[in-house]
Amino acid sequence: MSTDRTKIVGFCCHYTVRVSEDALQMAGLLPAGVRFEHVPCTGRVEVPALLAAFEQGADAVFVVGCEEGSCHNLSGSQQAAKRVVQARAILKEFNVRPERIEMFFVTRGETEPVVAAAREMSERAGRLGPLYGEQAKVVEEVQ
Amino acid sequence: MIIAERKPLPELMEMLAGVERLLIVGCRGCVAVCSAGGDKEVSVLATALRLGRKLAGANIEIDEDTYVRQCDPEYLEPLKTRGKDYDAVLSMACGVGVNFIADRCPGVNVLPALNTTFYGANLSSGEWAEMCAGCGACILHLTGGLCPVARCAKSLSNGPCGGSVGGRCEINPDVPCIWHQICEKLTGRKQDKLLRKIMPIRDWRPAGHGGPRRRVREDLLP
């Protein structure tokens, strides 16, 4: 579950991340503030879960799914990608930058691409700044 | 079925200004089938509105429910009392459901979450097209089953307007000219004599131009 210090939430399945985020953080691989939400398959991740992560304070959210054709759950990650698109559209309606959420397709069982995704989102969240208060900034820029 | 789509979130946020306790009610009829107002969409909208309110620096308490249908009185019974516990009830049914709640549940502040758009068919997953205008005076037996009232941009009754090119409508090349299709179909079936039949000026009263429509079947009345 997200905590007060969680700023980036990554949804991943049992096959893309086999190591806990605590172990990765202790090894200095994972940026601080990244939490993983483990699901049996990313196809299980629905839009409300993605939005709820933002509501609970995340500045960025990402989903890490298996590359197409590499998983016995045939279309799970493709379903997840569609839901990320839906969540992006909702963020845009609220004048929130859609790049705060991203879908990554990675090779199963390799930790490195997941860590790379987490780092990219951490860097992105740092660049975009806190989620709350962004709306006014975007409106100002548009004007 | 009736096709609908969710209103833009900024419009809903404005509509819900001042609402602190909200009940979102979905419908498992047409709007669930066209993925606009079923259980899933209720859940997505509730989370989106919570996020939207939080982004605006406030909170909103939202409960969720979905009824079998919002256009039959028995399913609205619980809402008559429950609805009064909320500042507003946001209906994710078509306009029929919203109206019926407003009629049947006095004291409940019902608001629409959807724009009701047309009567349509499901072309493929995620794609719907208008097929019927509900005009109340079907002429499909004369047009090969294809409706010029709903599917011709000008609702013409007696053949194409002359603006179509290559069987496509002049308003948009993605839209087929339905009169072109009617002609091809009837000619192919050797029913082209139907094309020579002049349809009289349409009486639009059954289409609703004579006021709200009503249908009564005596044998079914209580």
Side-chain angles (χ1 to χ4, degrees), chain B residues 97-144:
Chain B
V98 180
N99 271 269
F100 212 36
I101 291 174
D103 272 356
R104 294 277 170 152
C105 306
V108 172
N109 177 25
V110 63
L111 302 170
L114 306 183
N115 287 326
T116 307
T117 45
F118 54 83
Y119 305 141
N122 197 180
L123 301 185
S124 66
S125 180
E127 189 180 4
W128 299 269
E130 186 167 16
M131 298 276 163
C132 173
C135 72
C138 246
I139 49 154
L140 296 172
H141 58 298
L142 302 173
T143 58

Side-chain angles (χ1 to χ4, degrees), chain A residues 12-125:
Chain A
C12 52
C13 72
H14 297 325
Y15 306 99
T16 48
V17 179
R18 291 170 187 270
V19 186
S20 76
E21 64 267 34
D22 289 340
L24 290 170
Q25 259 152 3
M26 280 171 69
L29 293 171
L30 210 58
V34 176
R35 296 296 297 177
F36 289 145
E37 292 284 346
H38 292 269
V39 288
C41 170
T42 49
R44 182 70 187 82
V45 180
E46 299 281 357
V47 177
L50 299 171
L51 297 178
F54 286 113
E55 193 211 339
Q56 287 160 20
D59 290 325
V61 173
F62 64 104
V63 180
V64 184
C66 301
E67 281 174 340
E68 192 174 356
S70 69
C71 182
H72 59 276
N73 293 327
L74 302 175
S75 63
S77 55
Q78 275 77 51
Q79 296 297 328
K82 287 183 180 177
R83 288 169 195 149
V84 168
V85 170
Q86 261 186 282
R88 278 182 160 224
I90 287 171
L91 293 184
K92 276 173 86 172
E93 284 194 74
F94 285 132
N95 275 329
V96 169
R97 285 192 174 83
E99 58 263 40
R100 286 187 183 274
I101 184 164
E102 193 63 79
M103 177 79 204
F104 294 91
F105 293 99
V106 301
T107 313
R108 278 160 52 111
E110 289 182 18
T111 310
E112 202 176 302
V114 179
V115 169
R119 285 183 175 164
E120 183 182 327
M121 292 311 285
S122 178
E123 184 274 324
R124 211 182 277 188

Side-chain angles (χ1 to χ4, degrees), chain B:
Chain B
M1 76 185 121
I2 295 174
I3 309 298
E5 61 187 331
R6 175 176 57 72
K7 283 178 175 287
L9 289 168
E11 184 182 341
L12 290 174
M13 293 292 289
E14 193 181 336
M15 195 189 290
L16 296 171
V19 171
E20 289 175 3
R21 290 203 75 217
L22 176 70
L23 174 64
I24 302 181
V25 184
C27 176
R28 295 202 180 105
C30 306
V31 292
V33 182
C34 71
S35 302
D39 295 77
K40 267 194 175 184
E41 292 74 31
V42 167
S43 177
V44 170
L45 182 59
T47 326
L49 290 175
R50 279 188 207 104
L51 175 62
R53 189 57 79 85
K54 198 164 177 188
L55 286 165
N59 285 307
I60 185 167
E61 190 185 321
I62 302 178
D63 288 334
E64 303 165 31
D65 205 348
T66 306
Y67 296 162
V68 176
R69 282 189 295 280
Q70 292 188 24
C71 53
D72 274 318
E74 58 267 40
Y75 302 114
L76 297 185
E77 277 304 311
L79 195 61
K80 286 182 178 172
T81 47
R82 189 186 178 196
K84 290 177 186 165
D85 296 338
Y86 297 89
D87 298 327
V89 170
L90 188 60
S91 167
M92 292 197 81
C94 66
V96 177
V98 180
N99 271 269
F100 212 36
I101 291 174
D103 272 356
R104 294 277 170 152
C105 306
V108 172
N109 177 25
V110 63
L111 302 170
L114 306 183
N115 287 326
T116 307
T117 45
F118 54 83
Y119 305 141
N122 197 180
L123 301 185
S124 66
S125 180
E127 189 180 4
W128 299 269
E130 186 167 16
M131 298 276 163
C132 173
C135 72
C138 246
I139 49 154
L140 296 172
H141 58 298
L142 302 173
T143 58
L146 304 170
C147 182
V149 181
R151 302 173 71 181
C152 166
K154 297 163 187 169
S155 294
L156 295 180
S157 297
N158 286 295
C161 62
S164 63
V165 179
R168 317 303 291 180
C169 180
E170 67 177 352
I171 61 151
N172 182 344
D174 292 336
V175 177
C177 169
I178 202 66
W179 268 111
H180 182 97
Q181 293 192 352
I182 292 168
C183 288
E184 288 210 326
K185 194 160 206 176
L186 292 179
T187 307
R189 283 186 192 164
K190 303 199 186 316
Q191 292 178 319
D192 41 325
K193 66 170 193 265
L194 289 173
L195 294 171
R196 286 187 286 277
K197 190 178 164 71
I198 304 293
M199 290 193 210
I201 293 169
R202 176 168 277 273
D203 177 1
W204 288 100
R205 281 172 300 179
H209 294 224
R213 292 170 281 180
R214 198 180 187 97
R215 179 176 177 242
V216 178
R217 255 186 69 173
E218 299 288 344
D219 58 320
L220 295 177
L221 291 174

